[in-house]
């Protein structure tokens, strides 16, 4: 049908305004992230998300202040179960990782070899161990179970044990390349692998975010979780066995520190270039938190452990209160028990967090969806109004010019 021109123009104007409203309301709201968290918090009348230079915290009522004395160049606090990042400072800053890179080495190589298989170590296996490396005491000609080698990696950060396992895995360079591929599959984009043991090598970097991803992926493997939680063990020698202790002082309770309550690992590291680094996990009241700390600058004894402990304390105090500022990608692994044969591979995979869990509050996807829904509703209402107006005009004796 044709519509009377004046009413047609008015109805079109109304529809146009509604359509404009659609596009305006469908612009995604700022996600509650490291970039937008402070603005969102101020708008909501809460405390800004920034707690000191470069520090981001999800603002919410009751969230305690992050300690203001932390000196690390980079750190991050996350929930290992949900993947929520609760607070961070420069989480994607690329820094030398030292032996915390062994977490990625273990995620890549550990699923391949049965714990009870035995390796007789050759001279080639130990070739290239760097000067000043931490060693567990692997000897040429010695016979070692794979489980012993992994205890050497996790407890003593033994670069000699890493070299033997990498040799079993096809060689040093191939293992570095495979670690790089694993990092990419896990969504860890800040990491460049040059030396699988974490030894200072030009161009080798990672970040607090990536190291947290590796720690979380490792904890999904029962063998990784068991090794990284072991405080003391026996290691075979030519004379029998020797007692080894975990160099992670939060776990072993050494060098003037008591074990952190609820500590379950994961891995510490140190080199001259990297300083002290640490990925630490602890569990309390059914909640598991991961903290990564890179290169504290205070010069205080045990600084990396004290700062990690303070961040874990903050995380447990903030449990259920702090809004996530980011979300780690979800890690899916095949069962670690399926390790038949030296080259059997588990598949570290990732899924989009949208398919694994609800969107964080205030995310761009959620805001966009709500905007579109509201805009479409506005169009429907406006068109309904225009039609009613036209019908009202007909009832007042203003029929259209013609009908088809």
């Amino acid at each position: 049908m044709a519509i009377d021109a004046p009413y047609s123009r008015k109805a079109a104007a109304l529809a146009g305004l509604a359509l404009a409203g659609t596009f305006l309301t469908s612009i995604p709201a700022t996600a509650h992230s490291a970039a937008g968290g402070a603005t969102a918090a101020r708008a909501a009348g809460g405390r800004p998300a920034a707690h000191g230079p470069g520090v981001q915290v999800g603002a919410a009522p009751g969230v305690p202040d992050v300690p203001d004395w932390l000196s690390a160049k980079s750190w991050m606090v996350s929930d290992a179960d949900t993947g929520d990042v609760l607070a961070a400072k420069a989480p994607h800053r690329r820094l030398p990782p030292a032996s915390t890179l062994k977490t990625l080495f273990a995620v890549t190589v550990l699923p391949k070899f049965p714990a009870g298989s035995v390796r007789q170590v050759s001279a080639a296996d130990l070739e290239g161990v760097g000067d000043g490396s931490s060693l567990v005491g692997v000897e040429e000609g010695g016979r070692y179970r794979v489980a012993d080698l992994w205890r050497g990696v996790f407890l003593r950060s033994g670069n000699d044990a890493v070299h033997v396992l990498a040799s079993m895995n096809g060689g040093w360079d191939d293992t570095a390349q495979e670690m790089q591929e694993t990092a990419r599959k896990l969504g860890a984009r800040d990491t460049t692998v040059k030396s699988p043991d974490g030894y200072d090598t030009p161009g080798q970097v990672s970040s607090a975010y990536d190291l947290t991803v590796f720690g979380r992926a490792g904890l999904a493997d029962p063998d990784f979780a068991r090794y990284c939680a072991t405080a003391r063990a026996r290691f075979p020698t030519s004379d029998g066995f020797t007692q080894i202790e975990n160099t992670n002082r939060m776990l072993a309770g050494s060098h003037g520190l008591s074990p952190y309550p609820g500590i379950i690992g994961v891995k510490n590291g140190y080199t001259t270039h990297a300083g002290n680094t640490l990925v630490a996990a602890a569990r309390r009241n059914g909640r598991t938190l991961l903290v990564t700390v890179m290169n504290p600058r205070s010069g205080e004894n045990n600084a990396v452990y004290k700062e990690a402990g303070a961040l874990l304390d903050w995380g447990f105090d903030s449990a259920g209160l702090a809004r996530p500022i980011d979300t780690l990608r979800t890690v899916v692994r095949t069962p670690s028990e399926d390790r038949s044969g030296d080259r059997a591979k588990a598949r570290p995979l990732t899924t989009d967090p949208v398919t694994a869990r609800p969107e964080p509050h205030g995310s761009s996807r959620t805001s966009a969806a709500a905007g579109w829904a509201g805009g479409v509703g506005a169009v429907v209402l406006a068109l309904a109004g225009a039609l009613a107006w036209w019908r009202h005009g007909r009832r007042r004796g203003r029929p259209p010019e013609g009908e088809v």
Side-chain angles (χ1 to χ4, degrees):
M1 67 181 74
I3 300 178
D4 180 65
Y7 287 94
S8 176
R9 285 194 295 270
K10 290 175 182 178
L14 279 175
L17 288 172
L19 186 60
T22 300
F23 286 103
L24 288 174
T25 55
S26 66
I27 297 173
T30 302
H32 191 85
S33 63
T39 303
R42 290 190 184 95
R47 178 169 73 244
H51 293 232
V55 175
Q56 290 90 37
V57 180
V63 175
D65 291 331
V66 173
D68 60 5
W69 50 268
L70 301 175
S71 66
K73 289 183 176 181
S74 174
W75 54 260
M76 195 166 86
V77 183
S78 63
D79 188 309
D81 299 315
T82 65
D84 289 341
V85 179
L86 306 180
K89 174 184 177 181
H92 292 284
R93 182 174 179 178
R94 298 181 179 185
L95 296 167
S99 285
T100 51
L101 193 65
K102 290 182 172 78
T103 55
L104 175 59
F105 174 73
V107 168
T108 303
V109 178
L110 195 156
K112 295 186 176 185
F113 308 109
S117 61
V118 175
R119 176 76 168 189
Q120 184 165 3
V121 175
S122 67
D125 289 344
L126 297 173
E127 185 178 349
V129 176
D131 294 338
S133 288
S134 53
L135 305 172
V136 67
V138 175
E139 299 175 352
E140 180 184 344
R143 292 172 59 83
Y144 300 89
R145 293 185 307 156
V146 165
D148 293 324
L149 295 171
W150 281 116
R151 280 188 280 269
V153 171
F154 279 93
L155 275 69
R156 297 299 301 171
S157 207
N159 288 1
D160 47 356
V162 173
H163 272 260
V164 174
L165 289 163
S167 183
M168 295 172 62
N169 190 54
W172 197 247
D173 293 338
D174 286 350
T175 298
Q177 180 61 37
E178 190 177 350
M179 289 169 63
Q180 191 72 68
E181 293 170 0
T182 300
R184 293 296 177 263
K185 289 177 182 177
L186 293 173
R189 304 295 179 180
D190 305 323
T191 298
T192 300
V193 180
K194 299 291 186 180
S195 183
D197 55 5
Y199 192 80
D200 276 342
T201 307
Q204 180 156 275
V205 292
S206 191
S207 68
Y209 182 95
D210 284 11
L211 292 172
T212 302
V213 168
F214 305 150
R216 186 176 183 230
L219 290 175
D221 183 321
D223 288 342
F224 182 110
R226 184 173 64 255
Y227 289 131
C228 81
T230 302
R232 293 167 185 83
R234 296 197 306 169
F235 189 81
T237 67
S238 56
D239 299 328
F241 292 91
T242 186
Q243 185 80 5
I244 58 174
E245 182 176 81
N246 203 309
T247 56
N248 181 350
R249 299 176 185 180
M250 290 185 81
L251 179 67
S254 61
H255 297 78
L257 291 178
S258 299
Y260 183 83
I263 189 73
I264 56 174
V266 178
K267 189 73 187 73
N268 59 311
Y270 173 81
T271 65
T272 303
H273 191 46
N276 286 287
T277 58
L278 176 66
V279 182
R283 183 179 296 120
R284 293 188 199 168
N285 300 322
R287 184 181 296 267
T288 301
L289 297 182
L290 271 166
V291 163
T292 298
V293 178
M294 301 188 75
N295 201 354
R297 309 300 293 162
S298 68
E300 184 179 357
N301 190 37
N302 290 324
V304 74
Y305 302 106
K306 292 177 180 177
E307 296 191 18
L311 287 169
L312 284 169
D313 288 344
W314 176 88
F316 286 117
D317 289 343
S318 303
L321 299 175
R323 294 179 179 178
I325 61 170
D326 199 353
T327 304
L328 300 172
R329 297 186 69 183
T330 302
V331 179
V332 180
R333 297 186 61 88
T334 56
S336 62
E337 292 79 10
D338 183 15
R339 290 176 180 158
S340 56
D342 281 358
R343 300 299 295 180
K345 290 187 179 182
R347 294 182 296 113
L349 303 175
T350 59
T351 60
D352 189 320
V354 176
T355 64
R357 57 191 303 274
E359 282 284 346
H361 176 75
S363 70
S364 57
R365 287 189 181 95
T366 305
S367 300
W372 278 107
V376 170
V379 170
V380 172
L381 289 174
L383 291 176
L387 182 59
W389 192 356
W390 172 74
R391 288 175 174 169
H392 181 65
R394 289 191 65 183
R395 287 193 295 270
R396 295 181 61 187
R398 294 183 181 180
E401 293 176 339
E403 292 183 356
V404 176

